[in-house]
Amino acid sequence: MKIATEPIGSIPRPQYLQNALAAYASNEIKQDELDRLMNQAVEETIKLFEDTGSPVITDGEQTKPSFVTYPVHGLSSLAQDGVVIPFADGHTRQLPRLTASPFTYQSYASSYLTKARSLTSLPVKQSVISVSALSLLYPADGLPGYTREQFIADLIDEAEKDIRACFDAGAHSVQIDFTDARLAIKLDPSKELLKSFIDMNNQVLERLDQYKNQIGIHSCPGGDHDSTHSADVTYADLLPELFRLKAGSFYLEYAAETDRRMVLELIQANSDPSQKIFLGVTDVLNPRVETPEEIMDMILEAASVLPVERIGTTDDCGFSPFADDTSTSRDTAFAKIRARVEGTALAEKALGL
């Protein structure tokens, strides 16, 4: 396709996998049975992705416990009473808290990628979590004998290893999930926290400059159970800082924005001409499936402000970033993806590409 189109990442897990995860948590099934059903879900998800006509796919994050905690799943030095993230509808998510040193990843995203690539001939994109999000695992009152500075140094080493391994395993692109960007402004309106998060992520990106054009940053207001944690933070507050990140692409929530023209103008004013902008053209929190014509119109509007060669399309967010989020059905998720692919093709035709 002349206009690149890529998914964000997660797809709702099938009901049998939801049931298996619950059964495993209550010791009703063993790990080998859970693994079998996870592998089945990955295979089915990749086939459904292929059926949408998507030129680039993911594994749907079927085997990740969540988009944020996958690297530390199984780490023994964690307590479950870490930072609490409140959502607009009243529900919360709680991060774990690190209790001992040293900090190391337990799982690397390349393991998901290798499995997916064995099941398809299509290019596979891999998402990883930002170092800034994982920095929230360090306790506010510190750890004896393990300073925050030491922790951050270890975290940056592990994040570099995670991304580099994805490219070694043949990733088409790597997307860093920086959904904590808007949250940082909500927690600290002075933007000092956001600036520190951006500087932290840039330390990783600077080590991976050779892959700059294959690395993208995903930013959204956090989607979970059809709610968000920071939609009240505007792009006017975020974008001037966000584009300081040393990445080649940005995957931005867009379809759910109320003033899209303003968003386009902010992108034009604050981004570097070398940065590719993937605009979300499907609202993952709205169960209504967009028509390809509606998506085409969004792209044509974007092309009236941004050079068309800088525009790509994506989804506003993942459809199920946490494994237990069933607020969107698999059928709806794939219908929206198909509409995105078809709408992007319509826009190419309308633009004479």
Side-chain angles (χ1 to χ4, degrees):
M1 301 182 80
K2 303 295 191 299
I3 299 175
T5 188
E6 299 179 7
I8 288 299
S10 63
I11 298 292
R13 284 71 169 172
Q15 189 59 55
Y16 67 77
L17 182 53
Q18 294 285 343
N19 295 341
L21 289 166
Y24 179 76
S26 58
N27 296 316
E28 295 173 22
I29 64 171
K30 296 186 181 298
Q31 183 70 53
D32 59 349
E33 176 63 7
L34 178 61
D35 290 344
R36 183 184 71 80
L37 294 171
M38 282 182 166
N39 288 334
Q40 180 180 329
V42 172
E43 292 178 16
E44 291 174 357
T45 300
I46 285 176
K47 177 62 168 62
L48 290 167
F49 251 125
E50 291 174 336
D51 290 346
T52 65
S54 298
V56 177
I57 67 171
T58 74
D59 70 347
E61 300 187 2
Q62 300 297 283
T63 59
K64 278 186 178 180
S66 84
F67 80 106
V68 63
T69 60
Y70 76 87
V72 297
H73 185 64
L75 184 64
S76 60
S77 55
L78 293 176
Q80 300 307 312
D81 58 353
V83 173
V84 175
I85 301 173
F87 285 76
D89 65 355
H91 88 276
T92 62
R93 292 285 184 179
Q94 188 165 24
L95 297 177
R97 173 178 58 86
L98 190 67
T99 61
S101 64
F103 176 80
T104 59
Y105 280 17
Q106 296 298 288
S107 299
Y108 294 90
S110 57
S111 64
Y112 309 117
L113 176 71
T114 299
K115 174 66 176 178
R117 291 194 70 233
S118 73
L119 298 170
T120 185
S121 60
L122 290 176
V124 181
K125 171 184 179 178
Q126 184 59 54
S127 60
V128 300
I129 189 60
S130 67
V131 287
S132 49
L134 289 177
S135 73
L136 298 173
L137 272 58
Y138 190 82
D141 54 356
L143 282 174
Y146 193 50
T147 65
R148 178 174 173 80
E149 290 72 22
Q150 290 172 313
F151 163 73
I152 296 298
D154 289 341
L155 172 57
I156 289 171
D157 286 345
E158 289 292 88
E160 178 194 1
K161 182 179 177 180
D162 197 24
I163 295 172
R164 196 175 291 279
C166 288
F167 286 119
D168 289 344
H172 166 78
S173 57
V174 171
Q175 168 189 294
I176 297 175
D177 288 327
F178 189 27
T179 62
D180 45 309
R182 280 183 169 181
L183 181 63
I185 298 174
K186 189 168 186 175
L187 295 173
D188 175 18
S190 76
K191 301 185 188 176
E192 290 306 309
L193 180 61
L194 173 64
K195 291 175 182 177
S196 71
F197 278 4
I198 287 172
D199 291 343
M200 194 184 302
N201 283 295
N202 270 339
Q203 289 184 62
V204 177
L205 292 168
E206 286 165 358
R207 299 184 181 188
L208 298 161
D209 187 65
Q210 71 193 95
Y211 300 113
K212 180 177 180 179
N213 292 333
Q214 292 173 268
I215 297 177
I217 305 295
H218 167 53
S219 179
C220 73
D224 184 40
H225 291 293
D226 286 344
S227 187
T228 63
H229 55 55
S230 52
D232 50 339
V233 175
T234 70
Y235 270 139
D237 285 325
L238 175 64
L239 292 184
E241 293 294 333
L242 188 72
F243 289 123
R244 287 201 299 112
L245 284 162
K246 298 176 182 180
S249 299
F250 290 80
Y251 301 87
L252 302 179
E253 177 262 357
Y254 178 71
E257 290 293 310
T258 56
D259 190 346
R260 294 178 191 150
R261 185 79 183 186
M262 180 196 71
V263 175
L264 295 171
E265 291 171 353
L266 284 167
I267 293 169
Q268 177 71 350
N270 292 283
S271 62
D272 188 276
S274 66
Q275 293 170 328
K276 193 169 187 69
I277 310 297
F278 286 80
L279 295 170
V281 292
T282 61
D283 182 352
V284 301
L285 304 185
N286 187 337
R288 188 184 75 81
V289 177
E290 295 83 357
T291 68
E293 290 76 16
E294 288 172 327
I295 289 171
M296 175 189 70
D297 289 343
M298 274 191 271
I299 300 168
L300 295 181
E301 180 183 26
S304 71
V305 178
L306 300 174
V308 68
E309 62 270 17
R310 293 188 61 200
I311 298 171
T313 62
T314 188
D315 309 301
D316 268 1
C317 188
F319 289 95
S320 181
F322 295 91
D324 62 357
D325 182 1
T326 58
S327 56
T328 301
S329 72
R330 279 169 72 82
D331 286 347
T332 296
F334 281 113
K336 283 176 173 280
I337 289 167
R338 184 184 296 275
R340 167 171 53 78
V341 173
E342 293 177 356
T344 302
L346 287 178
E348 288 179 340
K349 185 176 181 179
L351 290 164
L353 301 179

